Amino acid sequence: LLGITSKCRRTWLPAAMGALSSSNLESNVGVESVLAGVGLDMREEFREHVMKMSNKNVRFRHVGIWREAFLGGTIDHHCVVYEYVQGRKLLSLKLDWGREGLVFADNHEEPCPKGDVLERKYCVRLTPAEVLSHWEPVKDRDYVLSSWNCQHFSRYMYDRASEGGADISVSPEEPKS
């Protein structure tokens, strides 16, 4: 199977039936890419990055769970994406959980160009400090395919994101709630 790539066209049920809107997914991801993981662990860098965002008074507007299907739609990878505006640009903080740990990206690019938004909610006052307080209890967990994978991580972070605005301050050493 190594080296095999596939293309998949998937059409979803109409929204009236309670499903997502139609979309086409095309995947050219081979088995070796799936086995490679999401990238090198960035847990240490994440805390520092979120602290810098907090110092800039960033407030997230939306949080969503994104899904990217590959291997002909047989495997789904999930990530959680926090959206915010800085200046006049819409930016996103994408958190990816994989075998190596946490990988994140913070930029204006489409978070998952070949993916779908599974769920998305409004959280206009959610702060980076609050996201960090959600991250702290799980930061040392290991990836376990059956019990703590990308889907479990994304759901955990998404479920804790609320409208936000709690008075949480984070010191460089330890989060406080």
Side-chain angles (χ1 to χ4, degrees):
L1 288 174
L2 289 178
I4 295 174
T5 58
S6 64
K7 291 190 176 194
C8 174
R9 181 180 175 98
R10 178 175 285 178
T11 303
W12 293 93
L13 296 172
M17 298 178 77
L20 297 173
S21 61
S22 296
S23 66
N24 294 327
L25 293 178
E26 189 174 289
S27 178
N28 291 317
V29 179
V31 173
E32 64 281 352
S33 297
V34 173
L35 300 176
V38 297
L40 297 176
D41 187 29
M42 300 172 73
R43 292 180 223 208
E44 297 299 320
E45 294 91 343
F46 179 66
R47 180 174 177 67
E48 182 179 326
H49 183 78
V50 172
M51 294 298 298
K52 287 179 184 175
M53 292 178 80
S54 196
N55 290 338
K56 294 179 183 177
N57 294 316
V58 167
R59 294 286 189 269
F60 297 109
R61 299 180 120 190
H62 293 95
V63 61
I65 297 176
W66 289 64
R67 173 189 73 91
E68 185 173 351
F70 46 94
L71 289 180
T74 60
I75 299 174
D76 285 350
H77 176 73
H78 290 193
C79 63
V80 63
V81 176
Y82 299 89
E83 300 171 20
Y84 65 101
V85 174
Q86 192 169 49
R88 292 183 174 206
K89 291 184 179 180
L90 178 63
L91 301 169
S92 60
L93 175 64
K94 174 184 173 183
L95 306 183
D96 246 330
W97 184 254
R99 286 187 316 279
E100 296 81 15
L102 179 73
V103 175
F104 71 91
D106 185 3
N107 57 44
H108 67 279
E109 296 175 13
E110 181 77 22
C112 298
K114 295 182 180 179
D116 293 321
V117 178
L118 292 179
E119 292 184 55
R120 186 172 182 247
K121 64 184 175 183
Y122 190 63
C123 59
V124 74
R125 293 182 305 269
L126 183 68
T127 67
E130 288 171 297
V131 171
L132 191 59
S133 75
H134 304 154
W135 159 249
E136 290 291 334
V138 298
K139 70 178 181 183
D140 295 322
R141 290 187 74 172
D142 292 325
Y143 179 94
V144 178
L145 182 61
S146 60
S147 62
W148 188 248
N149 60 39
C150 61
Q151 294 179 19
H152 299 105
F153 173 78
S154 296
R155 171 61 53 197
Y156 169 86
M157 295 298 285
Y158 179 85
D159 286 347
R160 277 144 190 83
S162 63
E163 196 168 303
D167 292 327
I168 293 180
S169 61
V170 180
S171 70
E173 300 84 39
E174 190 172 311
K176 297 178 184 177
S177 55

